[in-house]
Amino acid sequence: MKILVINGPNLNMLGIREPDTYGKNTYADLCELITDYAAKKGVEVKLFQSNHEGALVDEIQAAYGNFDGIVINPAAYTHTSVAILDAVKSVGIPTVEVHISAVETREDFRQVSFVRKACIKTITGLGFDGYLRAIDTLTQNGN
Ligand code: DQA
């Protein structure tokens, strides 16, 4: 099984940005956590991060025919991007939405998620563990 893990804008700043909300661990720490977990589960994983909406759309499109599942934290684009929603719908790959923070307890503008409409599950507020639970969901999904 091959899973693509996509992180959106400012998640490369983990460990520096708002540590009270996102924790003190870095994006490199997150990549290591996911890579180690996937290896233990016998899952092939690719990690991708971009601050650019179009680059995220390109990466989702390129997954077509190449990946069995997508884990996506579109970060701020969660709340604005119809293009990312349409890209996930276009490829038809089972996708899990992840947020490090509990977005449902935060500002009103974070209550909207466009991509959620195309996702089989949403995981929020579990910190980095949310990505691992998303991998569990995709592997249990039998893809
Ligand atoms: C986030 C929540 C978003 O509202 C925010 O814009 C982010 C990170 C999270 O992982 O909790 O950048 O997706």
Side-chain angles (χ1 to χ4, degrees), residues 82-100:
V82 177
I84 291 173
L85 166 66
D86 285 350
V88 173
K89 283 170 100 172
S90 296
V91 296
I93 299 170
T95 298
V96 178
E97 174 190 13
V98 172
H99 298 286
I100 295 165

Side-chain angles (χ1 to χ4, degrees), residues 16-37:
I16 297 168
R17 73 179 290 213
E18 303 174 77
D20 290 346
T21 302
Y22 300 113
K24 289 187 178 140
N25 292 323
T26 64
Y27 179 67
D29 295 332
L30 175 63
C31 291
E32 195 182 331
L33 180 79
I34 293 169
T35 304
D36 289 352
Y37 188 72

Side-chain angles (χ1 to χ4, degrees), residues 121-141:
K121 191 172 180 176
T122 296
I123 297 170
T124 70
L126 298 184
F128 286 7
D129 277 354
Y131 293 84
L132 309 186
R133 299 294 76 80
I135 290 171
D136 289 342
T137 300
L138 290 168
T139 51
Q140 280 154 23
N141 199 42

Side-chain angles (χ1 to χ4, degrees), residues 9 11 17 22 73 75-76 78-79 98-101 103 106 110:
L11 291 170
R17 73 179 290 213
Y22 300 113
N73 182 348
T78 306
H79 317 301
V98 172
H99 298 286
I100 295 165
S101 66
V103 277
R106 300 181 64 195
R110 294 185 207 276

Side-chain angles (χ1 to χ4, degrees), residues 26-86:
T26 64
Y27 179 67
D29 295 332
L30 175 63
C31 291
E32 195 182 331
L33 180 79
I34 293 169
T35 304
D36 289 352
Y37 188 72
K40 267 188 222 139
K41 290 197 74 137
V43 170
E44 202 178 316
V45 80
K46 178 183 177 187
L47 296 148
F48 179 80
Q49 189 278 329
S50 178
N51 295 325
H52 304 279
E53 186 176 19
L56 297 167
V57 169
D58 287 345
E59 191 67 21
I60 294 164
Q61 288 184 5
Y64 181 72
N66 293 311
F67 286 90
D68 308 298
I70 297 174
V71 175
I72 189 164
N73 182 348
Y77 289 135
T78 306
H79 317 301
T80 62
S81 180
V82 177
I84 291 173
L85 166 66
D86 285 350

